[in-house]
Amino acid sequence: MIKETLNNAINKQINEELYSAYLYLSMSAYFEEISLKGFANWMKIQVQEEIAHATGLYDYLHARDGKVVLDAIQKPNCEWNSPIEVFEATLKHEQFITSKISELMDVAEEAKDRAALSFLQWYIKEQVEEESTAKDILAKLNFAGADTNALLLIDNELGARTFNPPVIG
Ligand code: FEO
């Protein structure tokens, strides 16, 4: 059975992942408001990714005879001034999540829980991708600057994103 310290830390991470989904849904709403439907689509897919990250941890706790305890989800920001500001916030948020996953690994290490360490490796790798994707889109937005045509090209590209449920663990 999983140690209580690790069980509690995983519950906290479930909350962080669900907050991430809430934050990205709020960002998607911003893009809908300014008629950047491709960006809105990208963010909605990101919501699904985050819910998958949360349910991956949820399923893992059950598989280890742990106890899932859901907590309140923090209110996300809902005011942004530009797509660049949104993606700066996205990158910063993913860097924060990376630090949380690292802390979770520390708890698993302290608990000497090799199974959990192995499972959490997936999340470590996923965070590399999450940060890299946010950085790439932010770079494109910076290149585009005030060029509306370039912004619409990026919008078109992000509109093609589809959800492929991740295989976690
Ligand atoms: Fe669940 Fe975007 O990290």
Side-chain angles (χ1 to χ4, degrees):
M1 192 164 162
I2 198 161
K3 281 195 179 157
E4 196 182 352
T5 49
L6 184 54
N7 191 133
N8 293 344
I10 292 176
N11 272 321
K12 280 205 180 83
Q13 191 59 34
I14 290 174
N15 188 270
E16 296 291 1
E17 300 292 347
L18 290 175
Y19 169 74
S20 304
Y22 217 28
L23 175 66
Y24 295 138
L25 192 60
S26 182
M27 290 174 171
S28 182
Y30 163 73
F31 285 121
E32 289 281 355
E33 281 163 20
I34 61 169
S35 298
L36 286 173
K37 301 279 186 189
F39 280 90
N41 170 68
W42 191 93
M43 282 296 175
K44 263 198 212 155
I45 305 283
Q46 196 62 20
V47 171
Q48 289 176 276
E49 288 275 340
E50 300 303 351
I51 290 172
H53 297 168
T55 50
L57 294 162
Y58 169 102
D59 290 340
Y60 187 71
L61 267 187
H62 287 307
R64 296 286 310 276
D65 292 328
K67 181 164 176 60
V68 170
V69 178
L70 299 177
D71 206 346
I73 302 170
Q74 191 194 327
K75 183 182 189 299
N77 183 22
C78 56
E79 301 291 339
W80 284 278
N81 296 307
S82 67
I84 286 185
E85 195 181 296
V86 172
F87 273 89
E88 281 171 349
T90 299
L91 178 57
K92 200 170 155 208
H93 181 67
E94 288 303 334
Q95 288 165 338
F96 167 75
I97 293 295
T98 299
S99 74
K100 291 284 139 189
I101 298 285
S102 289
E103 285 173 25
L104 190 51
M105 290 288 271
D106 290 343
V107 177
E109 262 169 19
E110 280 159 26
K112 297 188 173 25
D113 192 324
R114 289 173 197 278
L117 283 166
S118 164
F119 172 74
L120 291 170
Q121 278 300 330
W122 185 89
Y123 285 84
I124 292 280
K125 281 192 222 148
E126 177 71 2
Q127 280 315 116
V128 173
E129 200 181 311
E130 292 279 77
E131 285 191 31
S132 167
T133 308
K135 255 182 233 160
D136 285 352
I137 297 172
L138 184 57
K140 282 181 186 169
L141 284 169
N142 278 315
F143 283 135
D147 182 341
T148 314
N149 283 338
L151 182 66
L152 291 177
L153 276 176
I154 301 170
D155 189 59
N156 211 32
E157 187 189 322
L158 299 188
R161 185 184 189 192
T162 54
F163 180 57
N164 299 309
V167 180
I168 298 175

